[in-house]
Amino acid sequence: MKVIYIVLGSISLCLGVMGIFLPLLPTTPFLLLSSILWFRGSPRLYKWLLNHKRLGPYIRNFMENKAIPLRVKVISVSLVWLTLLYCSFFMTGNIWLATLFIVLAIGITWHILSYKTLSK
């Protein structure tokens, strides 16, 4: 079972890192899932993730404060809107699909903004 946790945690970490660069792929849930899976599967990998130079503070801040830094909120919401507006206007000729993209952008924005803003 530990091997399954480690493999799933590794896949989740890859998806989380990809989510940093791809606006529609969520970063935080995948990183949190990786930490949970590695906590159960490999204490060494769990400690590595929490002590990672870039990802560790991000995970610890979210786990401890349930908050997102303002800079991350601004970048996330901006990228979501840029991507989904582009898809709505230039990638689809279907009004229903374009509307779905806009509704999706509103939902993602609401979700991101529903978290407290982390003050340093």
Side-chain angles (χ1 to χ4, degrees):
M1 197 64 186
K2 287 187 177 200
V3 172
I4 293 172
Y5 286 139
I6 292 170
V7 169
L8 291 176
S10 300
I11 292 169
S12 179
L13 178 68
C14 290
L15 291 172
V17 170
M18 287 171 41
I20 294 170
F21 306 103
L22 301 172
L24 295 179
L25 195 60
T27 300
T28 304
F30 285 121
L31 293 179
L32 293 174
L33 180 61
S34 293
S35 69
I36 291 167
L37 291 168
W38 282 352
F39 178 78
R40 293 177 184 218
S42 171
R44 183 179 60 84
L45 289 173
Y46 175 73
K47 288 177 187 172
W48 172 83
L49 184 59
L50 290 183
N51 292 321
H52 189 273
K53 182 179 177 182
R54 301 275 186 219
L55 302 177
Y58 188 72
I59 295 169
R60 282 193 310 275
N61 280 336
F62 192 82
M63 289 172 68
E64 293 169 3
N65 303 314
K66 299 287 188 265
I68 301 172
L70 179 61
R71 180 179 178 273
V72 173
K73 279 186 173 185
V74 170
I75 291 170
S76 300
V77 170
S78 300
L79 288 175
V80 164
W81 277 98
L82 286 171
T83 303
L84 290 174
L85 284 175
Y86 176 79
C87 289
S88 291
F89 293 120
F90 301 113
M91 299 303 288
T92 182
N94 185 335
I95 189 72
W96 295 108
L97 190 55
T99 304
L100 178 65
F101 285 141
I102 301 300
V103 170
L104 184 62
I106 291 169
I108 293 170
T109 300
W110 177 79
H111 179 72
I112 291 170
L113 297 179
S114 70
Y115 286 101
K116 295 184 294 187
T117 301
L118 183 65
S119 58
K120 294 195 177 201

